[in-house]
Amino acid sequence: MRLAKGYNSILVSLVLAFSILFSGQNIALAEDQQPTKDLVPAMTDFDKPAPIVISESAHYGSGGRNDYGWKAFDDSVDFNHLDFWYVYATTPPEGGHFLKVDFGSTEKKKVNQITITPLFHNDSVKSLIKDWKLYGSNDNTTWSLVTEGKLENDRTLVTVETNNKKYFRYYRINVLNSYYDPTGSSVGIMELEMIGDTLINTDPDPTPDPTPAGERALLVIKMISGLEKEFDLSSTEVESFINWYNNRADGRGNETYIFEKNFNKGPFTSRKDYVAFNKIQSFEVMEYSK
């Protein structure tokens, strides 16, 4: 659809935003978020409280016991009341036995820190976690390594800084082996916390199609610093930028976008402007026809 001459402004707001539906895809908009906190509330079941859903590779269930995975997130370290996740003599899947957290479709989380309270096997007094890896995903299929570590064979609560810079819907911790069982078929965790912040979708009815419809558009990018950058682009160039932003919000592609400036001042053979994804606060697309 062609537009009448003049500007048609489409404002894509990033203030306290998590994601909007954009050209049939979800796009997480950075970087306003809630304060850092424990991202998983005290769980009372695999899916309570909503919208969190905990899943597991396996658990020990015998003699009236069910050492479910959600018990690693119940904010309790009471061994006598079996408030822990435990797997016994069960062949692990590829990558090791795991606990997975699904934060739900309306939120993504950036886990900056995790705390692990080790679980000890009562008979051997050996820790049931040794080597482990933490992964993140937005589609529950493609997983990115967030961090990894090795615990000592003691009962000390361990805090690990992840240096994570991405927001994910899903997180999964894989336990590769334990001091009790080097094969990884018997593992467990007393308590696990994920500390970080949240991106939230605050627009219940987002505009689904901000794709430029005019011949050209003025793209105005407001940076977190308050600086504004303006680029006079073709509709194809604007669409390329928006596709990059969409992919980058899902953790794919380059961290920066390069604008080729088609005019020269001075002796330069080319001019390029590099814009970093995590420095963008908002952007505005103003379409026009010549």
Side-chain angles (χ1 to χ4, degrees), residues 83-144:
D83 289 329
F84 49 74
W85 170 59
Y86 174 47
V87 180
Y88 178 71
T90 302
T91 301
E94 183 178 357
H97 282 298
F98 65 83
L99 292 176
K100 182 170 66 178
V101 182
D102 177 2
F103 286 104
S105 60
T106 62
E107 295 185 356
K108 288 183 181 178
K109 312 288 185 176
K110 180 161 68 71
V111 174
N112 305 319
Q113 180 187 95
I114 64 171
T115 65
I116 303 173
T117 303
L119 174 66
F120 271 62
H121 193 278
N122 201 35
D123 295 333
S124 65
V125 195
K126 289 184 178 180
S127 175
L128 285 159
I129 179 172
K130 184 179 179 181
D131 296 293
W132 55 272
K133 293 185 177 183
L134 180 69
Y135 297 90
S137 174
N138 282 317
D139 60 8
N140 202 26
T141 300
T142 302
W143 293 88
S144 302

Side-chain angles (χ1 to χ4, degrees), residues 5-17:
K5 291 185 178 180
Y7 290 95
N8 177 31
S9 176
I10 301 176
L11 177 62
V12 182
S13 174
L14 305 183
V15 179
L16 295 176

Side-chain angles (χ1 to χ4, degrees), residues 24 46 58 68 74 83 120 169 176 237 262 268 283:
F46 284 104
Y68 294 129
D74 65 357
D83 289 329
F120 271 62
R169 170 178 172 174
L176 281 62
E237 290 170 324
N262 57 7
F268 309 113
F283 65 85

Side-chain angles (χ1 to χ4, degrees), residues 13-175:
S13 174
L14 305 183
V15 179
L16 295 176
F18 155 64
S19 67
I20 62 173
L21 185 63
F22 177 79
S23 298
Q25 303 180 27
N26 288 328
I27 174 170
L29 303 178
E31 265 237 332
D32 299 307
Q33 65 279 322
Q34 290 183 338
T36 297
K37 63 176 183 178
D38 186 2
L39 299 173
V40 183
M43 301 299 294
T44 59
D45 206 332
F46 284 104
D47 57 357
K48 294 182 178 61
I52 309 296
V53 176
I54 306 296
S55 54
E56 59 185 23
S57 56
H59 70 268
Y60 178 75
S62 181
R65 284 177 52 176
N66 285 295
D67 301 326
Y68 294 129
W70 64 263
K71 293 183 177 181
F73 300 94
D74 65 357
D75 289 356
S76 173
V77 290
D78 190 338
F79 182 85
N80 293 326
H81 286 82
L82 308 179
D83 289 329
F84 49 74
W85 170 59
Y86 174 47
V87 180
Y88 178 71
T90 302
T91 301
E94 183 178 357
H97 282 298
F98 65 83
L99 292 176
K100 182 170 66 178
V101 182
D102 177 2
F103 286 104
S105 60
T106 62
E107 295 185 356
K108 288 183 181 178
K109 312 288 185 176
K110 180 161 68 71
V111 174
N112 305 319
Q113 180 187 95
I114 64 171
T115 65
I116 303 173
T117 303
L119 174 66
F120 271 62
H121 193 278
N122 201 35
D123 295 333
S124 65
V125 195
K126 289 184 178 180
S127 175
L128 285 159
I129 179 172
K130 184 179 179 181
D131 296 293
W132 55 272
K133 293 185 177 183
L134 180 69
Y135 297 90
S137 174
N138 282 317
D139 60 8
N140 202 26
T141 300
T142 302
W143 293 88
S144 302
L145 180 65
V146 174
T147 191
E148 58 187 312
K150 176 180 179 179
L151 270 62
E152 299 297 327
N153 189 29
D154 59 40
R155 299 180 186 275
T156 305
L157 180 149
V158 176
T159 300
V160 179
E161 301 291 338
T162 67
N163 296 317
N164 180 32
K165 300 184 184 304
K166 298 179 180 179
Y167 289 85
F168 295 106
R169 170 178 172 174
Y170 303 90
Y171 283 88
R172 187 187 76 208
I173 186 168
N174 285 68
V175 181

